[in-house]
Amino acid sequence: MAKQAPEGLITALDIGSSKVSALIAQKVDGGELVVLGTGQRESKGVKRGYVADMAATEAAVREAVEQAERIAGTNIEDVWVAFSAGGLVSDIVKLEVDLGGHRVEQGDIDDLLKAARAALDPGGRMVLHAHPTRYTLDGLAGVPQPLGLHADRLGVEVHVVATEGSPVRNLDLCVRSAHLDVKSIVAAPVATGLAVLTAEERELGVALVEIGAGVTNVSVFQNGVLEGLASIAMGAADITDDIASAFGTSRAQAERMKCFHGSANMSPRDNHDMIDVAPIAADEEAEGTRITKAQLIAVIRLRLDRLMQEVQRELTRLHFADPVGRQIVLTGGGAELKGVADYAQQALGRTVRLGRPRGLSALPEAHSGPAFATLAGLARFAAADPIDLRAIETPHQLVIRPSAGAMVKRLLAAFRSNY
């Protein structure tokens, strides 16, 4: 029988196109996160990050969480869930109020945040995050704590991530149908960035490319926050499908071929190494075929070429065009393909490294690869529990200093124009 849940318990749930994974961690003294249990099940009800089969997804969620509970020896009631489908939009919204030169008091900060909360209107989209990232004093950006400083104008920069509401509601309903409360639904790029990027990388500027099974998310971080993102409806599962189609075999066999023999780079020896390919149906009279490793890699590279072209296009659109000093971090299940970092470095003309989850103690070896970066990042996000403007109570009669009204209107207009 499972024991009562200990204090500081966090459960992360990543519902992807290929797998549903759960992680139970405990936040101990000093802020360290210790992993107590993990679980994983094949995902059969999610397509391109969207819930397509409620019953199948619910069953996978229940089984993954139950496996993590057995290992942890405890029962959990609520989870933090990652949202990795397309349609995410990210923006930095700025708001300023006049102070008249007096010292910044806590009430000034509270009023500023309430004003920003009241002005949030993403044009019909659902807001997943509305985090105040840093403050400004008389136009000086990057002030972490303005309390007690003198200023004529106090401002705040709010990082907002929004998406279409229906996919999020479907995800929420699916998890609640498994008898779990949803603490929060977190945009996957936000969580993944916490797991694989250092604070300095996020400050200096870095691009994160997460190759999932059905979706590849491209995120650009600058000044410590996620400044822009894009989703590409292509991923590692498309490579598997290409292999299955090209050589007339099943998806399961194609996945094994990709994992055990596949690579993003080719060598002269690959023309001589042979691979046995089983027929698509075992009861057919047709015998299996044999191909060279070079043939397999050629199919893989064709899909990777298309994917990297799309990634390059999105990086340019997100103003990440200058390759000088701009690093790319590759993560996600697709990043576990042999040689893919070297391939991406040549294709994109930039320094590329693999991103593995960090910041958790006792993380099992099987869950320490790029495929589980979002799961680990989700636990770190939950442990940090950053301030979200949506949780701030907005009174009916909100008093703002005279010049703030025009700023709020400009914020609202700018916000709507961006969505």
Side-chain angles (χ1 to χ4, degrees), residues 92-95 131-136 141-142 155-159:
I92 303 295
V93 181
K94 301 178 182 180
L95 177 68
H131 299 149
T133 57
R134 57 183 183 173
Y135 295 90
T136 62
V156 65
E157 296 181 0
V158 182
H159 177 221

Side-chain angles (χ1 to χ4, degrees), residues 82 110 118 137 142 194 207 249 328:
D110 294 341
L137 290 177
L194 281 178
T249 189
I328 293 175

Side-chain angles (χ1 to χ4, degrees), residues 329-341:
V329 177
L330 208 60
T331 190
E336 296 189 347
L337 177 69
K338 182 182 177 182
V340 71

Side-chain angles (χ1 to χ4, degrees), residues 17 28 31 51 54 64 80 127 130 155 168 176 193 236 256 265 302 341 373 401 413:
S17 301
V28 298
V51 175
M54 186 73 70
W80 296 70
V127 176
V168 178
R176 293 185 188 278
R256 284 193 291 270
N265 298 312
L302 279 174
R401 287 175 172 77

Side-chain angles (χ1 to χ4, degrees), residues 227-412:
E227 287 201 337
L229 55 84
S231 295
I232 302 168
M234 191 186 308
D238 293 289
I239 299 176
T240 302
D241 288 352
D242 289 348
I243 295 170
S245 178
F247 304 116
T249 189
S250 65
R251 281 192 172 108
Q253 172 72 1
E255 182 69 19
R256 284 193 291 270
M257 290 167 61
K258 181 182 73 175
C259 294
F260 289 109
H261 304 287
S263 176
N265 298 312
M266 197 175 297
S267 68
R269 182 177 176 178
D270 296 329
N271 290 297
H272 305 286
D273 291 344
M274 303 300 294
I275 302 170
D276 292 320
V277 182
I280 196 166
D283 57 350
E284 289 184 359
E285 295 181 0
E287 297 181 358
T289 59
R290 301 191 79 199
I291 63 170
T292 64
K293 191 175 178 179
Q295 288 176 287
L296 173 64
I297 295 174
V299 172
I300 293 172
R301 285 175 64 96
L302 279 174
R303 176 61 66 173
L304 285 177
D305 287 344
R306 292 179 58 188
L307 178 59
M308 290 303 152
Q309 287 173 7
E310 293 295 324
V311 169
Q312 187 72 276
R313 184 177 294 112
E314 295 299 344
L315 288 174
T316 301
R317 188 181 66 80
L318 295 171
H319 308 294
F320 199 79
D322 185 4
V324 178
R326 311 298 291 276
Q327 183 178 233
I328 293 175
V329 177
L330 208 60
T331 190
E336 296 189 347
L337 177 69
K338 182 182 177 182
V340 71
D342 291 337
Y343 170 87
Q345 185 161 303
Q346 295 174 0
L348 300 175
R350 306 164 189 271
T351 302
V352 176
R353 73 167 178 86
L354 284 183
R356 303 179 185 278
R358 62 181 75 181
L360 279 78
S361 300
L363 185 66
E365 182 66 26
H367 289 71
S368 61
F372 297 92
T374 298
L375 189 67
L378 195 56
R380 292 190 60 180
F381 181 93
D385 198 13
I387 297 172
D388 196 308
L389 294 187
R390 295 171 302 164
I392 295 176
E393 293 293 333
T394 306
H396 295 293
Q397 297 294 328
L398 178 62
V399 179
I400 307 175
R401 287 175 172 77
S403 63
M407 292 304 301
V408 171
K409 290 179 180 178
R410 283 201 291 273
L411 169 69
L412 186 58

